[in-house]
Amino acid sequence: MTLLYGEVKGLRNQNNTLREVRNNPSLSLSKPLAELSYEESQELTLDEDDIGVLRDFLKVSHSSHVGFGESGELIALNAIKRDEVLSDTGLKDILEIIINLHTPPGA
């Protein structure tokens, strides 16, 4: 049930992201951070849950299926089954926020 709940929550996040993209097709910052309104800057801010997801993903444990090599590349530590969940819900959305935050206008 927990995995099913996580999948549903992830699909809802993806659906919400798709709706936002349809309403605002501009994915890169068109203004410097200092010129953003409060609402715009909140969309680009990671909250405590987002940071927790990233921290958990970066932790390497013996029970984890993924880890990082000596040069920082993501590697499989064990055989990974198809459709196996490898991160907490929302990792993709968090990475998109980070990419958008660091994408120069017009890129």
Side-chain angles (χ1 to χ4, degrees):
M1 284 304 281
T2 303
L3 289 175
L4 181 61
Y5 175 75
E7 289 292 322
V8 169
K9 190 174 179 183
L11 290 172
R12 283 186 184 152
N13 286 340
Q14 289 178 10
N15 192 22
N16 290 337
T17 301
L18 287 173
R19 285 184 184 148
E20 290 175 15
V21 168
R22 282 188 197 141
N23 294 336
N24 185 8
S26 175
L27 295 178
S28 63
L29 289 174
S30 57
K31 298 188 239 181
L33 287 176
E35 295 178 12
L36 292 176
S37 69
Y38 176 77
E39 290 80 16
E40 290 171 323
S41 67
Q42 287 300 96
E43 291 177 12
L44 296 174
T45 304
L46 300 179
D47 60 23
E48 289 180 32
D49 293 334
D50 294 339
I51 293 170
V53 168
L54 291 173
R55 282 192 176 133
D56 289 344
F57 186 74
L58 291 175
K59 286 181 185 175
V60 177
S61 68
H62 298 295
S63 62
S64 180
H65 293 287
V66 296
F68 294 93
E70 291 179 14
S71 301
E73 67 276 5
L74 186 65
I75 59 172
L77 299 175
N78 300 314
I80 300 173
K81 298 175 187 172
R82 181 182 302 192
D83 296 328
E84 187 167 356
V85 177
L86 301 175
S87 72
D88 292 335
T89 303
L91 179 63
K92 179 181 178 254
D93 296 333
I94 295 166
L95 293 174
E96 286 175 347
I97 290 170
I98 294 168
I99 290 168
N100 290 337
L101 184 62
H102 294 282
T103 301

